Amino acid sequence: MIDLCPRCRIQAPHRPGRERCPRCGGPLSVVEDAARALRDADPRDREPVGARAAAPSRPAPPPVTGRLYRAPQLRWVARRPPEAIPIRRGPSRPPGPRRIPRYTYIPTWGFRDEPASDDPARSRLDHARSQLLFALVTTGAALAASAAVHLFRYLLLAVNRSTPLPEWLIAVSEVLVLFAGILALLGFVVSTLMFARWVLDLRAEAYHDAHLVDPRRPVWVALLAAVPLVNLVGAPLVLGEVAAVRLAHDPALDAGRVRSRLRRMWVAWAVVNAVAVAAVVARVLAWRSDSLQTGANSLTMVIISSAVSAAFAFWMARRIPGLFDASSAPVPTKRWVAVA
């Protein structure tokens, strides 16, 4: 048996006690053949109740065999009643959380995670530090070569006092001295410029982390850090301000250790500049004098100044990376393990 609605033309298995259509509210008919019952049904029973109540005086429309309603604005969608929906068959998902998919390889589909870029100020500081360290090492090597060449020149002068030397050897020594001096001078200029750039980036990074504005203009900072003899006072000043800012905003730093490092660097810098000034004065006096002893003394001062400057350059290249480091003990590069 089938419950049939002549208006909606929906059908469902017969259920006792169900007399009205769940969709339109019209009366249901219990039939055996739905297709035959629809053909024999009165066309007026197919009209909705609202249409019949709105126009009771109009004559009944002729029976339709195609569409139920001719109004183009209406669109009827057939839906099954809930009790007529068949039960879904097939394997159901087990209860509980789903498994996370695992891959034996890195999938190449989907979104691609790009690594987060570092702080531009910090990356610029790291680049400036690496360039400064390379310039210091290169300058130290050039100064060491200059000291060796001037020592060779001094030995030639000492031998020449008693034994004549060939002219080609004297010419070779002069060319070596000139070449080594030019390399050492270029290294000094480049290292000074790299030091000024590192100080600028160091101050920019320190004041940026502290959310402060640098009170000094970059031009004055560069002049205080790059002009020879002026940087004896200017470099400790600008680095001391950086140390004060970092100590105030980084509790991991030890104030005494940082100030001790800056003090040692300033003392070494002062010694190197004093020796260099003495060598320049001795060289100027040797050019104005015809004494061989004065020339030998000036050459000795040049050798000492070059050697001290080379040692200072290598020493600075090792001390600058840990100037504002919080760690105190150096990390050993080798570890000895006792084997029984």
Side-chain angles (χ1 to χ4, degrees):
M1 304 298 289
I2 297 174
D3 291 339
L4 175 65
C5 179
R7 296 179 182 177
C8 301
R9 294 188 178 186
I10 65 171
Q11 53 186 345
H14 174 65
R15 190 177 68 181
R18 182 171 57 185
E19 299 178 355
R20 293 289 177 179
C21 177
R23 178 181 298 175
C24 65
L28 294 177
S29 302
V30 181
V31 297
E32 294 182 358
D33 190 356
R36 180 178 179 182
L38 288 175
R39 289 196 302 268
D40 298 340
D42 188 1
R44 291 179 297 179
D45 295 338
R46 303 177 186 178
E47 296 180 3
V49 180
R52 188 179 299 178
S57 60
R58 294 182 181 180
V64 293
T65 56
R67 295 179 54 185
L68 185 60
Y69 300 104
R70 296 182 178 181
Q73 296 84 2
L74 298 177
R75 179 184 180 187
W76 298 93
V77 180
R79 293 174 181 261
R80 290 186 179 183
E83 61 272 8
I85 298 177
I87 301 176
R88 181 176 297 179
R89 298 178 180 180
S92 60
R93 186 176 62 86
R98 297 184 178 181
R99 286 187 175 184
I100 300 176
R102 300 179 181 274
Y103 301 91
T104 57
Y105 61 94
I106 300 177
T108 57
W109 46 264
F111 294 104
R112 189 173 183 179
D113 295 334
E114 297 292 340
S117 59
D118 297 335
D119 188 5
R122 193 174 301 276
S123 61
R124 186 168 58 250
L125 176 61
D126 295 338
H127 183 64
R129 183 188 296 115
S130 62
Q131 286 187 341
L132 174 60
L133 297 181
F134 178 76
L136 286 175
V137 172
T138 306
T139 303
L143 289 171
S146 177
V149 169
H150 282 85
L151 179 61
F152 175 70
R153 177 76 171 180
Y154 182 84
L155 294 177
L156 290 180
L157 292 178
V159 173
N160 194 29
R161 296 182 63 179
S162 57
T163 304
L165 296 176
E167 294 183 358
W168 66 267
L169 186 57
I170 301 297
V172 168
S173 65
E174 290 180 355
V175 172
L176 290 177
V177 167
L178 181 61
F179 182 71
I182 293 175
L183 285 181
L185 181 61
L186 291 177
F188 168 74
V189 173
V190 173
S191 298
T192 304
L193 295 178
M194 291 298 101
F195 177 74
R197 179 184 177 186
W198 172 72
V199 170
L200 289 172
D201 293 338
L202 182 65
R203 289 177 66 92
E205 191 263 345
Y207 282 97
H208 178 268
D209 291 346
H211 303 286
L212 297 175
V213 179
D214 193 348
R216 299 186 183 274
R217 294 183 178 180
V219 177
W220 290 108
V221 175
L223 291 178
L224 291 174
V227 178
L229 299 181
V230 177
N231 53 20
L232 284 175
V233 180
L237 177 63
V238 294
L239 290 179
E241 293 174 351
V242 174
V245 173
R246 287 207 168 187
L247 291 174
H249 293 82
D250 192 356
L253 291 178
D254 188 358
R257 187 177 297 115
V258 172
R259 293 191 180 97
S260 177
R261 292 170 182 171
L262 291 176
R263 192 180 304 112
R264 288 198 298 267
M265 189 178 70
W266 180 80
V267 171
W269 199 321
V271 170
V272 169
N273 280 269
V275 176
V277 169
V280 171
V281 171
R283 199 65 176 171
V284 171
L285 294 177
W287 287 339
R288 293 184 177 183
S289 176
D290 294 335
S291 175
L292 294 178
Q293 188 62 39
T294 304
N297 294 338
S298 67
L299 192 56
T300 303
M301 288 302 301
V302 171
I303 295 172
I304 295 175
S305 176
S306 300
V308 171
S309 300
F312 175 74
F314 290 122
W315 182 81
M316 281 282 291
R318 294 185 57 185
R319 292 298 185 273
I320 281 181
L323 186 60
F324 295 100
D325 193 3
S327 61
S328 58
V331 179
T333 57
K334 294 183 180 179
R335 297 183 182 272
W336 300 96
V337 180
V339 180

